[in-house]
């Protein structure tokens, strides 16, 4: 099985005319011999020996492929999306305009099949297997083969590595030890610690992660805490006295408060109603 039948051949990306190997672009393949052994020199007439050759390229740098090729006469309009094949000729050379070749160039990712190969024969009766006959042009017959093509594999760009990076060891550095919460150097005496601080330490240990990471450390870690002896019942032995005082506190209801502190303001009301009025008889007598 050939590479074309296996689908591992690169597609044709450009087609053109060229005067000779000197004008043939780099990366193009010049067809100088037909499949039946004749010279593939396209000339406008038998009297003119110099002509031009057909060439094609499989360079994938442009990202475009040739999906179809057609031969049209000078009286036909070029199909939509098609363009005439390229011309890489000498300054005074020209292509015969009576019949021209045009191609359809599309992005590589938009199609699954494209033109894989181009061949030329000198005899119209010769048949090429698996190839499509495009027609005769300037006394030759043009053939092309279409099929699935292989997309190129992307190449990784080389990167420059400095000498300092090359000297680095491949061994991974040891992981840093997790931060431990600080603790006071001189622990407080057991009788100085309150029960409340003891419950805080238990809750703090429950909130810390199992791996001892820094997330479990709080701002109170490492700060010594103790109650004043005036408020520590166990330190001064006044726990029983405080408890008895708490039991003697009477909680009053709303009715008790109203009965004890109720005031009707009766005295102020009586003084307002019995205020003496100003007598006017003395003023009249003076007159």
């Amino acid at each position: 099985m050939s590479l074309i039948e296996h689908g591992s051949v690169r597609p044709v990306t450009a087609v053109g005319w060229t005067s000779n190997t000197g004008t043939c672009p780099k990366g193009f393949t010049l067809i100088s011999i037909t499949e039946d052994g004749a010279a593939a020199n396209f000339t406008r007439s038998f009297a003119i020996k110099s002509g031009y050759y057909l060439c094609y390229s499989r360079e994938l740098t442009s990202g475009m492929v040739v999906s179809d090729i057609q031969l049209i006469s000078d009286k036909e309009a070029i199909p939509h999306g098609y363009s005439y094949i390229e011309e890489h000729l000498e300054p005074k050379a020209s292509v015969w305009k009576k019949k021209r070749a045009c191609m359809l160039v599309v992005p590589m990712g938009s199609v699954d099949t494209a033109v894989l190969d181009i061949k030329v024969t000198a005899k119209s009766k010769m048949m090429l297997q698996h190839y499509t006959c495009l027609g005769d042009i300037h006394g030759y017959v043009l053939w092309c083969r279409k099929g699935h093509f292989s997309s190129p594999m992307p190449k990784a760009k080389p990167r420059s590595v400095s000498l300092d990076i090359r000297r680095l060891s491949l061994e991974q550095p040891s992981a840093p030890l997790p931060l431990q919460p600080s603790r006071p150097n001189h622990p407080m005496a057991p009788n100085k610690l309150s029960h409340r601080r003891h419950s805080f330490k238990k809750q703090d240990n429950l909130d810390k992660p199992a791996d001892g990471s820094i997330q479990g450390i709080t701002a109170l870690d490492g700060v010594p805490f103790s109650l004043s002896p005036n408020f520590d019942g166990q330190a001064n032995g006044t726990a029983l006295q405080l408890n008895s005082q708490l039991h003697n506190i009477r909680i009053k209801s709303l009715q008790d408060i109203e009965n004890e502190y109720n005031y009707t303001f009766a005295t102020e009301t009586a003084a307002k109603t019995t205020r003496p009025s100003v007598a006017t008889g003395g003023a009249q007598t003076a007159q």
Side-chain angles (χ1 to χ4, degrees), residues 172-230:
Q172 295 293 335
S174 58
L177 295 177
L179 296 177
Q180 299 293 336
S182 59
R183 292 289 184 266
N185 296 331
H186 302 285
M188 300 294 292
N191 57 353
K192 295 293 183 178
L193 297 177
S194 66
H195 293 285
R196 187 176 182 183
R197 175 58 180 168
H198 185 64
S199 62
F200 281 164
K201 293 177 68 176
K202 287 184 177 180
Q203 184 65 26
D204 201 11
N205 292 333
L206 294 177
D207 294 339
K208 291 180 181 180
D211 56 354
S213 61
I214 196 173
Q215 296 178 356
I217 300 176
T218 63
L220 294 178
D221 288 330
V223 178
F225 177 81
S226 62
L227 288 176
S228 173
N230 297 330

Side-chain angles (χ1 to χ4, degrees), residues 8-14 56-60 64-67 108 113-117 147-152:
S8 59
V9 68
R10 292 189 299 178
V12 175
T13 57
Y56 62 92
S57 173
R58 287 195 173 98
E59 297 291 334
L60 300 175
M64 310 292 286
V65 295
V66 178
S67 63
M108 183 183 303
T113 60
V115 177
L116 303 180
D117 194 19
H148 295 276
F149 59 91
S150 59
S151 300

Side-chain angles (χ1 to χ4, degrees), residues 14-283:
V15 184
W17 297 111
T18 181
S19 299
N20 46 54
T21 55
T23 59
C24 184
K26 183 179 179 180
F28 277 68
T29 301
L30 188 147
I31 304 176
S32 58
I33 303 296
T34 64
E35 291 300 307
D36 42 7
N41 187 1
F42 292 81
T43 57
R44 289 177 293 176
S45 65
F46 294 101
I48 302 176
K49 295 183 179 181
S50 62
Y52 39 88
Y53 299 88
L54 193 66
C55 61
Y56 62 92
S57 173
R58 287 195 173 98
E59 297 291 334
L60 300 175
T61 55
S62 63
M64 310 292 286
V65 295
V66 178
S67 63
D68 189 30
I69 301 177
Q70 292 187 16
L71 299 179
I72 59 175
S73 64
D74 57 346
K75 297 181 181 180
E76 297 180 69
I78 186 170
H80 177 71
Y82 285 71
S83 61
Y84 294 114
I85 66 175
E86 304 171 4
E87 297 182 4
H88 307 282
L89 306 174
E90 293 179 345
K92 296 183 179 180
S94 61
V95 178
W96 191 37
K97 306 296 184 181
K98 291 294 182 180
K99 203 167 190 180
R100 303 185 65 178
C102 58
M103 60 183 177
L104 178 63
V105 182
V106 296
M108 183 183 303
S110 64
V111 292
D112 296 330
T113 60
V115 177
L116 303 180
D117 194 19
I118 300 174
K119 291 186 181 297
V120 178
T121 60
K123 298 179 181 179
S124 59
K125 294 182 180 181
M126 184 178 181
M127 301 296 295
L128 297 180
Q129 190 178 6
H130 304 300
Y131 281 75
T132 301
C133 180
L134 302 177
D136 62 303
I137 178 173
H138 309 339
Y140 295 92
V141 181
L142 192 61
W143 305 77
C144 78
R145 180 170 181 173
K146 298 180 182 179
H148 295 276
F149 59 91
S150 59
S151 300
M153 296 298 294
K155 297 181 180 180
K157 296 182 179 180
R159 297 181 180 179
S160 58
V161 182
S162 62
L163 295 177
D164 295 336
I165 297 180
R166 292 180 181 178
R167 294 173 183 173
L168 293 177
S169 174
L170 296 178
E171 298 179 357
Q172 295 293 335
S174 58
L177 295 177
L179 296 177
Q180 299 293 336
S182 59
R183 292 289 184 266
N185 296 331
H186 302 285
M188 300 294 292
N191 57 353
K192 295 293 183 178
L193 297 177
S194 66
H195 293 285
R196 187 176 182 183
R197 175 58 180 168
H198 185 64
S199 62
F200 281 164
K201 293 177 68 176
K202 287 184 177 180
Q203 184 65 26
D204 201 11
N205 292 333
L206 294 177
D207 294 339
K208 291 180 181 180
D211 56 354
S213 61
I214 196 173
Q215 296 178 356
I217 300 176
T218 63
L220 294 178
D221 288 330
V223 178
F225 177 81
S226 62
L227 288 176
S228 173
N230 297 330
F231 300 97
D232 196 344
Q234 296 180 355
N236 53 22
T238 59
L240 296 177
Q241 182 180 357
L242 292 176
N243 291 334
S244 62
Q245 293 177 359
L246 292 176
H247 286 298
N248 293 333
I249 295 177
R250 180 188 175 189
I251 300 176
K252 297 182 180 181
S253 63
L254 179 61
Q255 187 64 36
D256 295 338
I257 296 174
E258 290 180 355
N259 295 336
E260 185 174 355
Y261 298 100
N262 185 24
Y263 185 69
T264 60
F265 296 93
T267 303
E268 288 79 356
T269 303
K272 181 179 180 180
T273 54
T274 59
R275 186 177 61 180
S277 59
V278 178
T280 59

